[in-house]
Every structure is written in C-alpha cells, then in structure tokens.
Amino acid sequence: QQQVKQSPQSLIVQKGGIPIINCAYENTAFDYFPWYQQFPGKGPALLIAIRPDVSEKKEGRFTISFNKSAKQFSLHIMDSQPGDSATYFCAALAYGQNFVFGPGTRLSVLP
Amino acid sequence: EAGVAQSPRYKIIEKRQSVAFWCNPISGHATLYWYQQILGQGPKLLIQFQNNGVVDDSQLPKDRFSAERLKGVDSTLKIQPAKLEDSAVYLCASSLSSPGLARNEQFFGPGTRLTVL
C-alpha cells in the first residue's frame, strides 16, 4: 500500500512532443505529490508538486494532472526539448511520514 | 546558497570491506536524510535525522549499516561489511524541517556511487 507505481519505464519523443508520465498509488493518506527530475551524476531536484485539492497545476512547460478518485497523477511536458532528457520520479507523502518514490521514467527527447 | 555536499563521489570496494560516506547539508537545514538508489529504481530512505537525533531508521539494515550526525550538522553513513547488493548510489538530502510537519523541499546532493566487487 506504500508503493507508488510509475509508467512507462522509458520514453522517447521528438523535440516539441508532449511526453506523459503516469503514476498511481493506493494509500489514501498521501496528500502531497511531487515530481523530481534527475540528470546523470546529479541528485534529484524538485520540479513541481501538487496537493489533492486541485486537479491540475502548471509551472512553465510542466503540468501535473491529478485524479483523486482514480488515485492517479501524471506529468506532462509541453514543447519538450533535448535539455529535458533526464529521469523523472514521482513521489508521494503522507503527514508524519516520509516520501515514497516511484521507480522512475527515463525520458529521451530527440533533436 | 551552497548545495548539499557529498564525498567521495565514487567508491569501489570488495565485498566484506567497509566504507564510509560523508554529507554536509545546506546551512540551517535541521533535517538530513540518507537514501539508497539502486540502478533503475527510485530513492529509498535509509535514515532521517532531525538535528542530531534519529527520526526514522526503520529501513536501515542495522546489522551492517550505521549513521551518525554529530553536532546536528555533518553526517556519515558507514557500511561494514559490504555486500554485493549494496552497490548503489547513496544520496544525502536536507530540508528545513521534517516533511511530515511542513512540506519543505528536500535538496539532494550529487550522491556517492558505490560499487562492491
């Protein structure tokens, strides 16, 4: 119940495409859902986060869509660029507990 | 603002040897975390410190792993003896306070890549 499932494992898109990464959870106590971006040789960095009281959040080219009833959330990257090539992790957090991370999605954006 | 510093960046050891990793968090951050990231997986929390006290070490293999945070600043993570399955990237992160109390962002260091032969 503490797991966060993430798909796809890897994703290749052309420059300008809109990659979509999906995550699903079971624990209804989760109330904070961040996405992290990790470049090779670097630690993960917070990209964008959402709480379950909203269905969508946009920050620049990055959008989180949240479906509370389905217990799913997804990351969309608009007008993707080669510089967006990285591994993306979704995570979930419940009050008083620690983050649970998904297994990651390796994104490649071709020029 | 300086980020989370970790050393060494890479370490190769043979099984049954011991190894230690060092982390210096962002100044003023009370909470420090050690994560293990196995290739192809997300980070898994090993231990969380609040100042110099342990908050959560439920996933730390205590028979071989130990960690300390002296004076509530720097921290070291030790593995003794190492096993092949300990090969991973060990990430240190810090935040202003515990994530359960306030949604403070965790800042990650670059990690130490450990290879156990």
Side-chain angles (χ1 to χ4, degrees), chain B residues 33-49:
Chain B
Y33 313 81
W34 283 103
Y35 288 88
Q36 180 191 59
Q37 185 176 22
I38 294 173
L39 185 65
Q41 298 181 20
K44 184 186 85 171
L45 181 70
L46 292 175
I47 189 168
Q48 176 192 348
F49 291 94

Side-chain angles (χ1 to χ4, degrees), chain A residues 31-32 36 38 41-44 46 51 89 93-99 101-103, chain B residues 9 33 35 37 40-43 45 48 56 91 99-101 103 105-106 108-110:
Chain A
D31 64 354
Y32 180 70
Y36 285 83
Q38 185 176 28
K42 305 288 186 181
L46 179 65
R51 297 183 186 277
F89 296 95
L93 179 68
Y95 183 83
Q97 298 180 19
N98 277 298
F99 286 102
F101 286 85
Chain B
R9 293 296 312 275
Y33 313 81
Y35 288 88
Q37 185 176 22
Q41 298 181 20
L45 181 70
Q48 176 192 348
D56 183 353
L91 294 164
L101 299 177
R103 298 299 192 254
E105 180 180 349
Q106 289 190 27
F108 286 84

Side-chain angles (χ1 to χ4, degrees), chain A residues 62-110:
Chain A
F62 300 93
T63 299
I64 300 179
S65 297
F66 188 84
N67 186 328
K68 188 174 181 178
S69 61
K71 290 184 282 187
Q72 296 176 349
F73 58 109
S74 60
L75 176 70
H76 303 231
I77 305 175
M78 303 300 182
D79 187 27
S80 59
Q81 301 296 314
D84 296 329
S85 297
T87 300
Y88 292 81
F89 296 95
C90 61
L93 179 68
Y95 183 83
Q97 298 180 19
N98 277 298
F99 286 102
V100 177
F101 286 85
T105 296
R106 178 172 291 186
L107 172 65
S108 297
V109 181
L110 303 179

Side-chain angles (χ1 to χ4, degrees), chain A residues 11-23:
Chain A
L11 188 56
I12 301 174
V13 300
Q14 295 286 339
K15 176 182 174 182
I18 306 175
I20 300 173
I21 305 170
N22 300 298
C23 285

